[in-house]
């Protein structure tokens, strides 16, 4: 995976990044982000069912630079995987269980405020915009009489009472937009394991426009 290769290159490059820790210099790092993901609007009819939280996880590399001791900007490239489960009671016999999963590449561009806690440990606040590029999705809707599977590559519909009506379509999925632009914010901790290399973990929210 390209993301893993970039992270490995960043780690190997640590000795080349300089010896003085200064937030106004360029910094690189690794970001690990568990988050809560919601695809459906609260007004939509499915109800959440059996989700394990956090139901999203992001892993990526970061690039940062401050213009003073506290304020700066942060960007990077991140791979995320997020899942969700729903139950749709449509007042019919065919109540439907919905399981969805999404994989994205994401590029956030944020303003960052860093507050020092210890010599190499900082509390960080970020707010900005984010570009999300859909890599793959899969949604399974299974009820009493039928099962529908929709992915980025194909769609399959299985009728349990009458297999003759089964349907399979191979092609590029169109359920979800390939590119999203949204707002993103986070609060987290950043620890420097080398002069210009850090590990960050944060709690994040995002809203796609």
């Amino acid at each position: 995976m390209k993301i893993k290769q970039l992270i490995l290159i960043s780690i190997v490059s640590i000795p080349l990044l300089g010896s003085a820790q200064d937030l106004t210099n360029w910094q690189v790092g690794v970001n690990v982000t568990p988050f809560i993901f919601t695809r459906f609007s609260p007004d939509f009819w499915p109800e959440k069912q059996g989700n394990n939280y956090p139901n999203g996880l992001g892993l990526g590399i970061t690039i940062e630079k401050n213009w003073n001791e506290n304020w700066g900007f942060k960007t990077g490239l991140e791979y995320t995987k997020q899942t969700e489960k729903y139950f749709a009671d449509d007042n019919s016999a065919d109540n439907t269980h919905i399981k969805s999963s999404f994989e994205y590449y994401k590029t956030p561009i944020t303003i960052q405020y860093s507050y020092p806690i210890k010599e190499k440990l900082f509390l960080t606040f970020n707010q900005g915009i984010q570009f999300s590029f859909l890599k793959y999705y899969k949604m399974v809707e299974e009820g009493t009489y039928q099962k529908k599977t929709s992915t980025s590559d194909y769609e399959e519909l299985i009728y349990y009472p009458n297999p003759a009506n089964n349907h399979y379509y191979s092609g590029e999925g169109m359920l979800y937009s390939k590119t999203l632009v949204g707002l993103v914010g986070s609060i987290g901790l950043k620890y420097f394991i080398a002069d210009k290399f850090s590990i960050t973990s944060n709690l994040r929210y995002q809203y796609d426009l």
Side-chain angles (χ1 to χ4, degrees):
M1 182 184 294
K2 292 182 179 180
I3 297 294
K4 293 182 179 179
Q5 294 174 350
L6 289 171
I7 293 172
L8 179 60
I9 292 172
S10 298
I11 294 174
V12 172
S13 303
I14 291 175
L16 305 176
L17 297 176
S19 57
Q21 181 174 320
D22 183 352
L23 296 183
T24 59
N25 288 335
W26 289 98
Q27 312 153 41
V28 298
V30 173
N31 187 47
V32 180
T33 307
F35 59 92
I36 295 175
F37 164 72
T38 298
R39 164 67 62 172
F40 289 116
S41 163
D43 297 327
F44 195 51
W45 45 267
E47 63 182 45
K48 293 181 180 180
Q49 182 189 61
N51 285 296
N52 298 317
Y53 293 113
N55 58 343
L57 180 64
L59 175 65
I61 58 173
T62 61
I63 300 173
E64 308 173 40
K65 191 179 191 305
N66 279 28
W67 51 77
N68 59 39
E69 293 182 354
N70 299 111
W71 290 98
F73 85 95
K74 179 177 182 178
T75 186
L77 180 61
E78 184 178 70
Y79 166 80
T80 68
K81 186 171 184 179
Q82 45 216 50
T83 62
E84 199 164 33
K85 300 177 184 178
Y86 279 87
F87 175 72
D89 182 2
D90 58 1
N91 296 320
S92 71
D94 194 26
N95 296 326
T96 303
H97 296 269
I98 303 172
K99 297 180 181 179
S100 61
S101 63
F102 302 85
E103 297 178 43
Y104 283 95
Y105 292 119
K106 299 185 177 184
T107 299
I109 302 174
T110 64
I111 300 298
Q112 178 172 261
Y113 180 83
S114 300
Y115 179 81
I117 299 176
K118 293 183 179 180
E119 181 180 357
K120 296 184 177 182
L121 182 64
F122 293 81
L123 179 65
T124 60
F125 303 88
N126 290 79
Q127 180 67 56
I129 62 173
Q130 178 172 260
F131 300 92
S132 300
F133 307 96
L134 182 63
K135 178 179 182 290
Y136 184 78
Y137 75 83
K138 181 177 182 180
M139 184 169 67
V140 179
E141 305 168 72
E142 185 169 11
T144 306
Y145 301 112
Q146 65 183 29
K147 177 181 179 181
K148 183 179 180 181
T149 302
S150 304
T151 77
S152 303
D153 305 316
Y154 70 90
E155 181 179 291
E156 182 180 44
L157 186 60
I158 299 175
Y159 291 95
Y160 297 134
N162 189 359
N165 291 330
N166 289 355
H167 168 78
Y168 180 89
Y169 172 75
S170 178
E172 185 176 348
M174 300 296 292
L175 281 180
Y176 299 101
S177 300
K178 287 187 174 181
T179 304
L180 298 172
V181 179
L183 303 176
V184 62
S186 67
I187 178 174
L189 292 173
K190 176 170 65 176
Y191 181 76
F192 282 90
I193 61 175
D195 292 329
K196 303 295 187 302
F197 189 87
S198 63
I199 294 178
T200 302
S201 183
N202 51 53
L203 297 175
R204 182 180 69 194
Y205 76 87
Q206 62 185 54
Y207 178 79
D208 294 322
L209 303 175

